[in-house]
Each structure stands twice: as C-alpha cells, then as structure tokens.
C-alpha cells in the first residue's frame, strides 16, 4: 500500500522498494528511472526529494520551473505541453523533453537547440487516452518519428504516454501496449509510461521510466497555492 502519511523520504524509499519488488516478480533485471513530478510542489519539497536521493524531476510548466528548478543539481524532464514560443526557454532549462507531439514543436525545439549548440534528447508523446488532449495519435506516430529524426539537433530517445485514468486494468494495459508498439518502432531506449496510479501496469508493459508525483509527494497542492 502507498503511504498516505510520512515524509517525502519515507514515501520515496517505500515506492522504490515496491518498484524493485515488482521488477523482481516480473523477472525484469536492471533498474527503472523514477522521475519525481514536482508540479505545484514548492521548492522546499523538491529540495527534500533531492536529499532523499531523487535524481530526476519532471515539470509541466516553464514558468513554474524557472523559479523553482533552475539552479538545482538534478536531471530535469519537461513533461508538459510544448508551446512553440516557449521552446527556447524549455531548451535552456531542461535536460530532456518528453512531450514532443507534433512536428511544429519538434522544429521549434530543434531551432532552439541549434542556437544553443547542443543536441536535445526528446521523447515522442503518443496519445493513448480519449481524455488526454495532447500526444500524437498512434496512426500518425511514424510520420512524426520520421520528421523528428530528420532534425539535426534533436535525438529521439523513445516514447512517453499518459494512460486513461479511472478505467479497468485491462483497458490501461491495452493503452500501454499501443504506446509500446510505437516505442518498438522508434528504435529508442526510453519508454516513459506509468504514474502514481498505474505504474505497476506500466512496468508489466515494459516501461523503463515512471513519472511519479503523488506517490512521492502526497496530494498535490492547488495550482494557486504556489509562490
Ligand atoms: C502530473 C503528471 C504526472 C504525475 O502524476 P501522479 O499521478 O501524481 O503521479 C506524470 N506525468 C505527467 C505528464 C503529469 O502531468
């Protein structure tokens, strides 16, 4: 069971131990990257997470990340919607962008990365949920993959997807399988599936990375509560 109380360090240790146990039960060797999703969490909580051993954090909003993460020694994942007019800031602030879902976003990030003289690792976000606004539809994935691969300053490392929430497990699994099929065609190494409510199913589907918010931090504060 997930702990509802206790410190960030307690919850992080508990969920890591559970993840290791599930990996063992699946007979999957190796490790899985846990990205601590810090959206709406204050900087003090992010610092607490780093002290507890968190090595990667995920943020959805550029503006929020600017004040909170910029100077912290941690691997930063952008997991929010990529607005083309924010591409430059995203590229300056983050180590990897997980949410490239259309060629315009890929091109804007490519230009930003070129300006900064770097190659930006990205994941392509696939839409596997009727309630999710963003993500490329699975039928259009191959076109986006080809387009993004042709860009000199991006490196496509795999696939990210968000499963439908509150559906039967069999539906979650089916959605994850769709994302996995795209991932296999991508030739990448990173499959970012799984959040606090569905990470077990994600591991069963072969996810190599989990994005965990509430499992580590507890319930999220309202957005207005920040700053
Ligand atoms: C908020 C968010 C998460 C974390 O959600 P939890 O259910 O709190 O674990 C993961 N991925 C994305 C893209 C998110 O926006």
């Amino acid at each position: 069971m997930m702990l509802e109380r206790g410190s960030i360090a307690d919850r992080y240790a508990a969920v890591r131990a559970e993840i290791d146990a599930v990996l063992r039960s699946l007979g999957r060797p190796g490790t899985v990257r846990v990205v601590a999703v810090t959206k709406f969490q204050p900087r003090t909580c992010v610092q607490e997470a780093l002290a507890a051993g968190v090595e990667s954090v995920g943020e959805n909003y550029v503006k929020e990340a600017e004040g909170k993460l910029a100077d912290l020694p941690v691997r930063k994942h952008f997991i929010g919607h990529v607005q083309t007019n924010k591409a430059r800031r995203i590229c300056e602030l983050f180590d990897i962008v997980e949410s490239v879902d259309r060629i315009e976003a890929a091109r804007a990030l490519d230009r930003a990365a070129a300006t900064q003289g770097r190659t930006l690792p990205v994941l392509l976000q696939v839409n596997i949920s009727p309630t999710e606004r963003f993500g490329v539809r699975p039928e259009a994935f191959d076109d986006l993959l080809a387009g993004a691969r042709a860009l000199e300053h991006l490196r496509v490392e795999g696939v990210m997807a968000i499963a439908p929430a509150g559906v039967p497990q069999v539906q979650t699994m089916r959605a994850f399988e769709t994302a996995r099929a795209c991932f296999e065609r991508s030739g990448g190494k990173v499959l970012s599936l799984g959040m606090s409510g569905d990470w077990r199913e994600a591991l069963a589907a072969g996810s190599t990375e989990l994005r965990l918010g509430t499992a580590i931090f507890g319930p999220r504060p309202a957005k207005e509560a920040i700053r």
Side-chain angles (χ1 to χ4, degrees):
M1 277 305 293
M2 211 141 50
L3 297 175
E4 288 301 328
R5 300 174 142 275
S7 67
I8 289 169
D10 290 343
R11 277 192 297 261
Y12 180 61
V15 76
R16 282 241 61 136
E18 270 192 90
I19 290 165
D20 289 342
V22 170
L23 286 174
R24 276 195 302 277
S25 76
L26 291 168
R28 267 185 65 183
T31 54
V32 155
R33 170 174 274 146
V34 172
V35 176
V37 176
T38 51
K39 65 168 172 245
F40 308 168
Q41 300 292 351
R43 182 176 158 96
T44 50
C45 287
V46 184
Q47 288 167 318
E48 221 178 302
L50 301 198
V54 161
E55 292 171 351
S56 307
V57 298
E59 277 284 343
N60 297 60
Y61 303 99
V62 178
K63 198 159 174 259
E64 191 184 330
E66 276 179 333
K68 219 165 73 179
L69 296 186
D71 59 338
L72 293 181
V74 66
R75 186 179 147 90
K76 301 171 186 96
H77 294 230
F78 187 72
I79 60 172
H81 180 57
V82 177
Q83 294 174 270
T84 52
N85 64 347
K86 301 251 171 73
R88 180 181 289 246
R89 257 334 252 155
I90 291 171
C91 192
E92 283 166 1
L93 277 165
F94 290 92
D95 297 292
I96 180 169
V97 178
E98 298 203 7
S99 40
V100 173
D101 65 352
R102 60 203 196 288
I103 194 63
E104 293 77 16
R107 288 200 187 107
L109 290 168
D110 178 66
R111 282 191 298 272
T115 307
Q116 287 158 35
R118 70 182 285 217
T119 301
L120 180 68
V122 299
L123 306 182
L124 304 183
Q125 181 180 354
V126 181
N127 188 310
I128 55 170
S129 165
T131 52
E132 182 56 37
R133 276 171 70 201
F134 302 117
V136 64
R137 281 175 302 107
E139 314 84 85
F141 177 78
D142 290 358
D143 283 346
L144 178 60
L145 176 64
R149 268 188 183 155
L151 297 170
E152 203 183 330
H153 299 275
L154 296 191
R155 187 172 65 241
V156 179
E157 296 196 333
V159 160
M160 183 271 260
I162 301 170
V167 300
Q169 191 179 40
V170 53
Q171 234 167 294
T172 307
M173 286 305 297
R174 208 174 296 139
F176 281 155
E177 286 306 326
T178 301
R180 187 198 166 117
C182 292
F183 164 68
E184 281 168 2
R185 297 205 298 282
S186 80
K189 290 196 164 60
V190 183
L191 180 57
S192 175
L193 305 177
M195 314 194 342
S196 297
D198 55 23
W199 63 260
R200 290 172 184 79
E201 290 81 0
L203 291 183
S207 184
T208 69
E209 175 185 305
L210 305 171
R211 307 177 310 271
L212 303 180
T214 50
I216 296 174
F217 295 101
R220 259 188 292 283
K223 191 174 185 186
E224 306 76 62
I226 317 178
R227 281 183 291 265

